[in-house]
Amino acid sequence: MNRFVIADPDKCIGCHTCEVACVVAHAGNNMFVQEESGADFYPRLTVVETDEVTAPVQCRHCEDAPCANVCPNGSITSKDNSIFINQDSCIGCKTCMLVCPYGAITMVPAHKGGQKQLQSGLRSNTSGAWSRKERIVANKCDLCEDSGKGPECVRVCPTNALQFIVPSQIEDSISRKRLASAQSLQQFSGFSRL
Amino acid sequence: MSYKDPIIHIDEQLCTGCRRCAAVCPVDAIIGEPGHPQTIDAHRCVVCGQCVQICTAYAADNESTTASRAVKLQERGQLPNVREPLFAAYSSGDIQKVKAVLADPKRFKVVQCAPAIRVSLAEEFGLPFGTLTPGKMAAALRRLKFDRIYDTNFAADVTIMEEGSELIGRVMSGERLPMFTSCCPAWVKHAETAAPELLEHLSSCKSPMQMGGALFKTYGAELDGIAPSDIFSVAVMPCTCKKFECSREEMSVDGCREVDLVITTRELASLIKDQGIDFIHLPDEPFDSPLGKYSGAGSIFGVTGGVMEAAIRTGYELITHEQIPNLQLDFVRGEEGIRTAEVQIGDLELKVAVVAGLKYVDAVLAKVAEGTCPYHFIEVMACPEGCVSGGGQPKLLLETQRKIAYQARKSAVYRHDSHQKVRKSHENPDIIKLYKDFLGEPLGHTSHHLLHTKFVDRSLKEEMS
């Protein structure tokens, strides 16, 4: 079973610390020093705020991941109990974004070594000059797999609104519920057959 | 001229009402319901900018409800090249004005940098926390077309001469004790607002920044043969409240503003990037003499306990006429909270306290009001670990980074001090020359005219009447 992060909307105060932490975890501290214009600030989870609910939303790492099933070139795979997007082979077709029932996938400019990646052939005409178009790729929660320390958003949330759910936790929880259920049957023991 | 802009703002379009800013505000100036945009009570606000540091609610580029990024940057007084997301809590910028003046060849442009800038500026260019770059900083300012690269550290040495002499006088006569430091403008504003009846306990010294400003337009103007009115004086500060301080009405000398504009560390970094200066590869260059030469004592003003340590290094020798046995005074160094110590200076047992974080000062003020405060000298810094943790410093996005960054910046300050040839203010040759040629003696007539000030009662009852 896959691991995933999930938020408790009753605890979330909408401070966006998780989003900021997500960006720092993936870009390091140098995110504002690259020499390009515009703010490259692409968190892999999104805090949603309405009058009724406040909570970050992120990839659920579905067992039968719709995004992986529609990817035309196999860029989305199951890896180490998670659903992983290979941005190196992604062609930016956006199909995964359309089918994701959680809205957890966004399209972002691809980066390598702090530089935006440009396409080899595709050009665009902006403000009267032709230039190579940047590569755009699918982006979503990767459980901070590169850090080796688990999801950063969970660690930084000031109200502990985020939980990292791993399969063994679910198993334990279900075992406890079954045990409680079995114990609650005792009060009916010896009832006559209907 | 008085600054009508409250300087610290919360953008109601972006604020999500998480109230983490209210939790760090030392004076409870942030008002609002959870989940709704917060507002700032400008009367209580001390402009320390800690809310600006902690805020993480930002404008996502795809939100159509908010004004465009370019419009907001313009409104905030920032340059269009700023790469950070726009966070809800922010401080008004003055960098556009500075950029305009730098392009004017007719003005004589003088700049000073606070001690805490040289230990944090490099972070904005991707270098590790606590990278020490005084030489690159001076080189960058020269390339930005400042005519004189002077330094607040020099003025900090002057402050020690004045404040140390004042402390000795007050301890000997037993008058108006304890004496509080007055270099932190947020602390001064809080004292004026919350405890105006205790203002006589503040040192009458202006802050190093204002002393520097006053000297640049008098002593400096004489040395350079420039009319004071032609000098445009900029200060780079780790502090948002310095913008408030430089605009205080009384901070003028012979009809000129002492400091014309204050920009923060972050604003300076954005201007360096805007001008295409390759900061990382700049050579180390010196500050300009004589108003840019400083001692180790001047350079430790940037950390909590630094003013105290610098004052003791000089005070000890002024009183005993002997060398201080140990220059590194570990007992005043430390972190957020209150630290106390007793220092034996000849026959005098000097009782000192260091307050780091404005929220801790009210207990001390209560004791002073009761007349039961046992200390002679109390240093107060509004920010948690002194100026290295100021509201205008490079923004730290995560709490986990905060501790590491403060520690690294502090270590860099102490490292800088320990590498200086001269480590006591009264031994700085340019300070000796300044007193010999211009000021005469500490607390003398010229000093009083240029370097000392009075405080204002800002309590509400005063404003009502």
Side-chain angles (χ1 to χ4, degrees), chain B residues 422-461:
Chain B
V422 177
R423 294 185 60 194
K424 303 169 205 160
S425 302
H426 60 286
E427 291 180 358
N428 174 346
D430 287 319
I431 292 290
I432 296 167
K433 193 171 177 336
L434 169 75
Y435 277 96
K436 187 167 134 306
D437 295 351
F438 184 72
L439 289 174
E441 55 177 357
L443 308 181
H445 178 73
T446 315
S447 290
H448 264 290
H449 174 56
L450 295 179
L451 310 179
H452 292 259
T453 187
K454 290 192 167 57
F455 302 103
V456 186
D457 183 340
R458 294 179 197 273
S459 58
L460 278 174
K461 62 178 190 310

Side-chain angles (χ1 to χ4, degrees), chain A residues 67-111:
Chain A
C67 56
N69 283 309
V70 297
C71 178
N73 71 350
S75 290
I76 307 182
T77 53
S78 181
K79 180 175 130 178
D80 304 333
N81 299 102
S82 73
I83 299 297
F84 171 77
I85 298 180
N86 179 355
Q87 292 186 330
D88 290 338
S89 60
C90 171
I91 56 167
C93 75
K94 304 177 285 296
T95 322
C96 57
M97 193 168 94
L98 294 175
V99 298
C100 174
Y102 295 102
I105 300 180
T106 49
M107 307 306 288
V108 302
H111 282 76

